[in-house]
Amino acid sequence: MLTQEFFSRLMHWEGGYQNHESDSGNYNSCGVRVGTNRGITSKTVETLMGVKCPDQAFMMGVDEAYAFAVLEKFWKFYRIDEINDQQLAELVMNNFMGLPTAAARTIQQACNRFQAGLTVDGLMGSKTLAALNSLSAQNPAAIFNAVLEEWIGYLSTTQEVFRQGLLNRVNGLFKPISGKPATAAPVASTGGLELARRILAGASKGKTADLVAIGAGLTGVMLIFFTLLKLAR
């Protein structure tokens, strides 16, 4: 859920009203530049609150209570409420504000670092949410940090006019979190006999390291065999 605490942190970085001509979010669906206030665009107001083509006076009058009401609907509209981990959900919310397609794309790219097999289409659908929640349940730090890295990478190569402000915002709101390394678990050693089986099966054909390990393993087996044979006599 959208908490008051996180909303307050967002507002600290969003600031108030702005009407920059280079910001596409400042134009309503009628093509009129009316500005954005507290991170709320006119098109978001139209989509979520049913206000047709809000004018400049309307946008300038958006207060924190109205902004919270809009963002509560925004949270559900983009299915952020279906993300199980609150900290990850807040990161996704930040990224979606103003740039939902790019945000969804970077989430899919982050999930695909862990072989999620998602189509990078910029749509926050059920498959993306399922992958995100599954990865978060396995290693919350790893997927959080991957989403954060992908988003910062995206901002670093686009949004030239607003790049620094967006980077300052995400870096101010979120830090990488510590946790177990995002690496695949190492395959346990099975000894020379198992490596020999893999070689014969063609799984490790031509690998010098495996051949050396096989020699060591077989030598150990032979020593044990002859020792037991000697004791039996």
Side-chain angles (χ1 to χ4, degrees), residues 94-157:
N94 170 78
N95 300 356
F96 263 72
M97 288 180 66
L99 299 163
T101 301
R105 189 178 295 115
T106 57
I107 289 167
Q108 290 160 344
Q109 290 167 342
C111 289
N112 284 346
R113 292 190 186 189
F114 306 95
Q115 291 75 53
L118 296 174
T119 300
V120 182
D121 56 10
L123 300 175
M124 189 73 153
S126 296
K127 290 182 179 179
T128 300
L129 285 164
L132 196 61
N133 282 327
S134 176
L135 289 166
S136 180
Q138 296 172 49
N139 191 340
I143 188 59
F144 178 92
N145 292 339
V147 171
L148 181 59
E149 288 167 9
E150 289 287 344
W151 184 243
I152 290 174
Y154 165 76
L155 293 180
S156 298
T157 59

Coordinates of all heavy atoms in Angstrom, one line a residue, residues 94-157:
N94 N 8.1 4.7 -7.5 CA 9.0 5.8 -7.9 C 9.3 5.8 -9.4 O 9.2 6.8 -10.1 CB 10.3 5.8 -7.1 CG 11.3 6.8 -7.6 OD1 11.2 8.0 -7.3 ND2 12.2 6.4 -8.4
N95 N 9.6 4.7 -9.9 CA 10.0 4.6 -11.3 C 8.8 4.8 -12.3 O 9.0 5.3 -13.3 CB 10.7 3.2 -11.6 CG 11.9 3.0 -10.7 OD1 12.3 3.8 -10.0 ND2 12.5 1.8 -10.8
F96 N 7.7 4.3 -11.8 CA 6.5 4.4 -12.7 C 5.9 5.8 -12.8 O 5.2 6.1 -13.7 CB 5.4 3.5 -12.2 CG 5.3 2.1 -12.9 CD1 6.3 1.2 -12.6 CD2 4.3 1.8 -13.8 CE1 6.3 0.0 -13.3 CE2 4.3 0.6 -14.4 CZ 5.3 -0.3 -14.2
M97 N 6.2 6.7 -11.8 CA 5.7 8.0 -11.8 C 6.2 8.8 -13.0 O 7.3 9.3 -13.0 CB 5.9 8.7 -10.5 CG 5.1 8.2 -9.3 SD 5.5 9.0 -7.8 CE 4.8 10.6 -8.1
G98 N 5.4 9.0 -14.0 CA 5.8 9.7 -15.2 C 6.4 8.9 -16.3 O 6.3 9.3 -17.5
L99 N 6.9 7.7 -16.0 CA 7.6 6.9 -17.0 C 7.2 5.5 -16.9 O 8.1 4.6 -16.7 CB 9.1 7.1 -16.9 CG 9.6 8.6 -17.1 CD1 11.1 8.7 -16.6 CD2 9.6 8.9 -18.6
P100 N 6.0 5.1 -16.9 CA 5.6 3.7 -16.6 C 6.1 2.7 -17.6 O 6.4 1.6 -17.2 CB 4.0 3.8 -16.6 CG 3.7 5.1 -17.3 CD 4.8 6.0 -17.1
T101 N 6.1 3.0 -18.9 CA 6.5 2.0 -19.9 C 8.0 1.7 -19.7 O 8.4 0.6 -19.7 CB 6.3 2.5 -21.3 OG1 4.9 2.8 -21.5 CG2 6.7 1.5 -22.3
A102 N 8.8 2.8 -19.5 CA 10.3 2.6 -19.3 C 10.5 1.8 -18.0 O 11.4 1.0 -17.9 CB 11.0 3.9 -19.3
A103 N 9.7 2.2 -17.0 CA 9.9 1.5 -15.7 C 9.6 0.0 -15.8 O 10.3 -0.8 -15.3 CB 8.9 2.1 -14.7
A104 N 8.5 -0.3 -16.5 CA 8.2 -1.8 -16.7 C 9.2 -2.5 -17.4 O 9.6 -3.6 -17.1 CB 6.8 -1.9 -17.3
R105 N 9.8 -1.8 -18.5 CA 10.8 -2.4 -19.3 C 12.1 -2.7 -18.4 O 12.7 -3.8 -18.6 CB 11.2 -1.5 -20.5 CG 12.1 -2.2 -21.5 CD 12.3 -1.2 -22.7 NE 11.1 -1.0 -23.4 CZ 10.5 0.2 -23.5 NH1 11.0 1.3 -22.9 NH2 9.4 0.3 -24.2
T106 N 12.4 -1.8 -17.6 CA 13.6 -2.0 -16.8 C 13.4 -3.1 -15.7 O 14.3 -3.8 -15.4 CB 14.1 -0.7 -16.1 OG1 13.1 -0.2 -15.3 CG2 14.6 0.3 -17.1
I107 N 12.2 -3.2 -15.2 CA 11.8 -4.3 -14.3 C 12.0 -5.7 -15.0 O 12.6 -6.6 -14.5 CB 10.4 -4.1 -13.8 CG1 10.4 -3.0 -12.8 CG2 9.9 -5.4 -13.1 CD1 9.0 -2.5 -12.4
Q108 N 11.5 -5.7 -16.2 CA 11.6 -7.0 -17.0 C 13.1 -7.3 -17.3 O 13.5 -8.5 -17.2 CB 10.8 -6.9 -18.3 CG 9.3 -6.8 -18.1 CD 8.5 -6.2 -19.2 OE1 9.1 -5.6 -20.1 NE2 7.2 -6.5 -19.2
Q109 N 13.9 -6.3 -17.6 CA 15.3 -6.6 -17.8 C 16.0 -7.0 -16.5 O 16.8 -7.9 -16.6 CB 15.9 -5.3 -18.3 CG 15.5 -4.9 -19.7 CD 15.9 -3.5 -20.1 OE1 16.2 -2.6 -19.2 NE2 15.9 -3.2 -21.4
A110 N 15.6 -6.5 -15.4 CA 16.1 -6.9 -14.1 C 15.8 -8.3 -13.8 O 16.6 -9.1 -13.4 CB 15.6 -6.0 -13.0
C111 N 14.5 -8.7 -14.0 CA 14.1 -10.1 -13.8 C 14.8 -11.1 -14.7 O 15.2 -12.2 -14.3 CB 12.6 -10.2 -14.0 SG 11.6 -9.4 -12.7
N112 N 15.1 -10.6 -16.0 CA 15.8 -11.5 -16.9 C 17.2 -11.7 -16.6 O 17.9 -12.6 -17.2 CB 15.6 -10.9 -18.3 CG 14.2 -11.2 -18.9 OD1 13.5 -12.0 -18.4 ND2 13.9 -10.5 -20.0
R113 N 17.8 -10.9 -15.7 CA 19.2 -11.2 -15.2 C 19.2 -12.6 -14.5 O 20.2 -13.2 -14.4 CB 19.6 -10.1 -14.2 CG 19.9 -8.8 -14.8 CD 20.5 -7.9 -13.7 NE 20.7 -6.5 -14.0 CZ 21.4 -5.7 -13.3 NH1 22.0 -6.1 -12.2 NH2 21.5 -4.4 -13.7
F114 N 18.0 -13.0 -14.0 CA 17.9 -14.2 -13.2 C 17.1 -15.3 -14.0 O 16.4 -16.1 -13.5 CB 17.2 -14.0 -11.9 CG 17.9 -12.9 -11.1 CD1 17.4 -11.6 -11.2 CD2 19.0 -13.2 -10.3 CE1 18.1 -10.6 -10.5 CE2 19.6 -12.2 -9.6 CZ 19.2 -10.9 -9.7
Q115 N 17.2 -15.2 -15.4 CA 16.6 -16.2 -16.3 C 15.1 -16.3 -16.2 O 14.5 -17.4 -16.2 CB 17.3 -17.5 -16.1 CG 18.7 -17.7 -16.6 CD 19.7 -17.0 -15.6 OE1 19.7 -17.3 -14.4 NE2 20.5 -16.1 -16.1
A116 N 14.4 -15.1 -16.0 CA 13.0 -15.1 -15.9 C 12.3 -15.4 -17.2 O 11.1 -15.8 -17.2 CB 12.5 -13.8 -15.3
G117 N 13.0 -15.1 -18.3 CA 12.4 -15.3 -19.6 C 11.3 -14.4 -20.0 O 10.4 -14.8 -20.8
L118 N 11.3 -13.2 -19.5 CA 10.2 -12.3 -19.8 C 10.4 -11.6 -21.1 O 11.5 -11.3 -21.5 CB 10.1 -11.2 -18.7 CG 9.7 -11.7 -17.3 CD1 9.8 -10.5 -16.3 CD2 8.3 -12.3 -17.2
T119 N 9.3 -11.3 -21.8 CA 9.4 -10.4 -23.0 C 9.5 -9.0 -22.5 O 8.7 -8.5 -21.7 CB 8.1 -10.6 -23.8 OG1 8.0 -11.9 -24.3 CG2 8.1 -9.7 -25.1
V120 N 10.5 -8.3 -23.0 CA 10.7 -6.9 -22.6 C 9.8 -6.0 -23.4 O 10.2 -5.4 -24.5 CB 12.2 -6.5 -22.7 CG1 12.4 -5.0 -22.2 CG2 13.0 -7.4 -21.9
D121 N 8.5 -5.9 -23.0 CA 7.5 -5.1 -23.8 C 7.0 -3.9 -23.1 O 6.2 -3.1 -23.6 CB 6.3 -6.0 -24.1 CG 5.7 -6.6 -22.9 OD1 6.0 -6.2 -21.8 OD2 4.8 -7.5 -23.1
G122 N 7.5 -3.6 -21.8 CA 7.1 -2.4 -21.1 C 5.7 -2.5 -20.6 O 5.1 -1.4 -20.2
L123 N 5.1 -3.7 -20.4 CA 3.8 -3.8 -19.9 C 3.9 -4.6 -18.5 O 4.5 -5.6 -18.5 CB 2.9 -4.6 -20.8 CG 2.7 -4.0 -22.2 CD1 1.9 -5.0 -23.1 CD2 2.0 -2.7 -22.1
M124 N 3.3 -4.0 -17.5 CA 3.4 -4.6 -16.2 C 2.2 -5.6 -16.0 O 1.2 -5.4 -15.4 CB 3.2 -3.5 -15.1 CG 3.5 -4.0 -13.7 SD 5.2 -4.3 -13.4 CE 5.3 -4.0 -11.6
G125 N 2.4 -6.8 -16.6 CA 1.4 -7.8 -16.6 C 1.6 -8.9 -15.5 O 2.5 -8.8 -14.7
S126 N 0.8 -9.9 -15.6 CA 0.8 -10.9 -14.6 C 2.1 -11.7 -14.6 O 2.6 -12.1 -13.5 CB -0.4 -11.9 -14.8 OG -1.6 -11.2 -14.6
K127 N 2.7 -12.0 -15.7 CA 3.9 -12.7 -15.8 C 5.1 -11.9 -15.2 O 5.9 -12.5 -14.5 CB 4.3 -13.1 -17.2 CG 3.4 -14.1 -17.9 CD 3.8 -14.5 -19.3 CE 2.9 -15.5 -19.9 NZ 3.3 -15.9 -21.2
T128 N 5.1 -10.6 -15.4 CA 6.1 -9.8 -14.9 C 6.0 -9.7 -13.3 O 7.0 -9.8 -12.6 CB 6.1 -8.4 -15.4 OG1 6.3 -8.4 -16.9 CG2 7.1 -7.4 -14.8
L129 N 4.8 -9.5 -12.9 CA 4.5 -9.5 -11.4 C 4.9 -10.8 -10.8 O 5.5 -10.8 -9.7 CB 3.1 -9.1 -11.2 CG 2.7 -7.7 -11.4 CD1 1.2 -7.5 -11.5 CD2 3.3 -6.8 -10.3
A130 N 4.5 -11.9 -11.4 CA 4.8 -13.2 -10.8 C 6.3 -13.5 -10.7 O 6.8 -14.0 -9.7 CB 4.2 -14.3 -11.7
A131 N 7.1 -13.1 -11.8 CA 8.5 -13.2 -11.8 C 9.1 -12.3 -10.7 O 10.0 -12.8 -9.9 CB 9.1 -12.9 -13.1
L132 N 8.7 -11.1 -10.6 CA 9.2 -10.2 -9.6 C 9.0 -10.7 -8.2 O 9.9 -10.7 -7.3 CB 8.5 -8.8 -9.8 CG 9.1 -7.6 -9.1 CD1 10.5 -7.3 -9.7 CD2 8.3 -6.4 -9.4
N133 N 7.8 -11.2 -7.9 CA 7.5 -11.7 -6.6 C 8.2 -13.0 -6.3 O 8.7 -13.2 -5.1 CB 6.0 -11.9 -6.4 CG 5.2 -10.6 -6.2 OD1 5.7 -9.7 -5.5 ND2 4.0 -10.6 -6.7
S134 N 8.4 -13.8 -7.3 CA 9.1 -15.1 -7.1 C 10.6 -14.8 -6.7 O 11.2 -15.3 -5.8 CB 9.0 -15.9 -8.3 OG 9.8 -17.1 -8.2
L135 N 11.2 -13.9 -7.5 CA 12.6 -13.5 -7.3 C 12.8 -12.8 -5.9 O 13.8 -13.0 -5.3 CB 13.1 -12.6 -8.4 CG 13.3 -13.4 -9.8 CD1 13.4 -12.4 -10.9 CD2 14.4 -14.3 -9.7
S136 N 11.8 -12.0 -5.6 CA 11.9 -11.3 -4.3 C 11.8 -12.2 -3.1 O 12.5 -12.1 -2.1 CB 10.8 -10.2 -4.2 OG 10.9 -9.5 -3.0
A137 N 11.0 -13.3 -3.3 CA 10.9 -14.3 -2.2 C 12.2 -15.0 -2.0 O 12.5 -15.4 -0.9 CB 9.7 -15.2 -2.5
Q138 N 12.9 -15.3 -3.1 CA 14.1 -16.0 -3.1 C 15.3 -15.2 -2.6 O 16.1 -15.7 -1.7 CB 14.5 -16.6 -4.5 CG 13.5 -17.5 -5.1 CD 13.8 -17.8 -6.5 OE1 14.9 -18.1 -6.9 NE2 12.8 -17.8 -7.4
N139 N 15.4 -14.0 -3.1 CA 16.5 -13.1 -2.7 C 16.1 -11.7 -2.9 O 16.3 -11.1 -3.9 CB 17.7 -13.4 -3.6 CG 19.0 -12.8 -3.1 OD1 19.0 -11.8 -2.3 ND2 20.1 -13.3 -3.5
P140 N 15.4 -11.1 -1.8 CA 14.9 -9.7 -2.0 C 15.9 -8.7 -2.3 O 15.7 -7.7 -3.0 CB 14.2 -9.5 -0.6 CG 14.8 -10.5 0.3 CD 15.1 -11.7 -0.5
A141 N 17.1 -8.8 -1.7 CA 18.2 -7.8 -2.0 C 18.6 -7.9 -3.4 O 18.8 -6.8 -4.1 CB 19.4 -8.1 -1.1
A142 N 18.8 -9.1 -4.0 CA 19.3 -9.2 -5.3 C 18.3 -8.6 -6.4 O 18.8 -7.8 -7.2 CB 19.5 -10.7 -5.7
I143 N 17.0 -8.8 -6.3 CA 16.1 -8.3 -7.3 C 15.9 -6.8 -7.1 O 15.8 -6.0 -8.0 CB 14.8 -9.1 -7.3 CG1 13.9 -8.6 -8.5 CG2 14.0 -8.9 -6.0 CD1 14.6 -8.8 -9.9
F144 N 15.9 -6.4 -5.8 CA 15.7 -4.9 -5.5 C 16.9 -4.2 -6.1 O 16.7 -3.2 -6.8 CB 15.7 -4.7 -4.0 CG 15.6 -3.2 -3.6 CD1 14.4 -2.6 -3.4 CD2 16.8 -2.5 -3.5 CE1 14.3 -1.3 -3.1 CE2 16.7 -1.1 -3.1 CZ 15.5 -0.5 -3.0
N145 N 18.1 -4.6 -5.9 CA 19.3 -4.0 -6.4 C 19.3 -4.0 -7.9 O 19.8 -3.1 -8.6 CB 20.6 -4.6 -5.8 CG 20.7 -4.3 -4.3 OD1 20.1 -3.4 -3.8 ND2 21.5 -5.1 -3.6
A146 N 18.9 -5.1 -8.5 CA 18.9 -5.2 -10.0 C 17.9 -4.2 -10.6 O 18.2 -3.6 -11.6 CB 18.5 -6.7 -10.4
V147 N 16.7 -4.1 -10.0 CA 15.7 -3.1 -10.5 C 16.3 -1.7 -10.4 O 16.2 -0.8 -11.3 CB 14.4 -3.2 -9.7 CG1 13.4 -2.1 -10.1 CG2 13.7 -4.6 -10.1
L148 N 16.9 -1.4 -9.2 CA 17.5 -0.1 -9.0 C 18.6 0.2 -10.0 O 18.7 1.3 -10.6 CB 18.1 0.0 -7.6 CG 18.7 1.3 -7.1 CD1 17.8 2.4 -7.2 CD2 19.3 1.2 -5.7
E149 N 19.5 -0.8 -10.3 CA 20.6 -0.6 -11.2 C 20.1 -0.4 -12.6 O 20.6 0.5 -13.4 CB 21.5 -1.8 -11.2 CG 22.3 -1.9 -9.9 CD 23.0 -3.3 -9.8 OE1 22.9 -4.1 -10.8 OE2 23.6 -3.6 -8.7
E150 N 19.0 -1.1 -13.0 CA 18.5 -1.0 -14.4 C 17.8 0.4 -14.5 O 18.0 1.0 -15.6 CB 17.4 -2.1 -14.6 CG 18.0 -3.5 -14.8 CD 18.7 -3.7 -16.2 OE1 18.5 -2.8 -17.1 OE2 19.5 -4.6 -16.3
W151 N 17.2 0.9 -13.5 CA 16.5 2.2 -13.6 C 17.6 3.3 -13.7 O 17.4 4.2 -14.5 CB 15.6 2.4 -12.4 CG 14.8 3.7 -12.5 CD1 14.9 4.7 -11.6 CD2 13.9 4.0 -13.5 NE1 14.1 5.7 -12.0 CE2 13.4 5.3 -13.1 CE3 13.4 3.4 -14.6 CZ2 12.4 6.0 -13.9 CZ3 12.4 4.0 -15.3 CH2 12.0 5.3 -15.0
I152 N 18.6 3.2 -12.9 CA 19.6 4.2 -12.9 C 20.3 4.2 -14.3 O 20.7 5.2 -14.9 CB 20.6 4.0 -11.8 CG1 20.0 4.4 -10.4 CG2 21.9 4.9 -12.0 CD1 20.8 4.1 -9.2
G153 N 20.6 3.0 -14.8 CA 21.1 2.8 -16.1 C 20.3 3.5 -17.2 O 20.8 4.1 -18.1
Y154 N 19.0 3.3 -17.1 CA 18.1 3.9 -18.1 C 18.2 5.4 -18.0 O 18.3 6.1 -19.0 CB 16.6 3.5 -17.8 CG 15.6 4.3 -18.5 CD1 15.4 4.2 -19.9 CD2 14.9 5.3 -17.8 CE1 14.4 5.0 -20.5 CE2 13.9 6.1 -18.5 CZ 13.7 5.9 -19.8 OH 12.8 6.7 -20.5
L155 N 18.1 6.0 -16.8 CA 18.1 7.4 -16.6 C 19.4 8.0 -17.1 O 19.5 9.2 -17.5 CB 17.9 7.8 -15.1 CG 16.5 7.5 -14.5 CD1 16.5 7.9 -13.1 CD2 15.4 8.2 -15.3
S156 N 20.5 7.2 -17.0 CA 21.8 7.8 -17.4 C 22.0 7.9 -18.9 O 23.0 8.5 -19.3 CB 22.9 6.8 -16.8 OG 22.9 6.8 -15.4
T157 N 21.1 7.3 -19.6 CA 21.2 7.4 -21.1 C 20.0 8.1 -21.8 O 20.0 8.1 -23.0 CB 21.3 5.9 -21.7 OG1 20.2 5.2 -21.3 CG2 22.6 5.2 -21.1

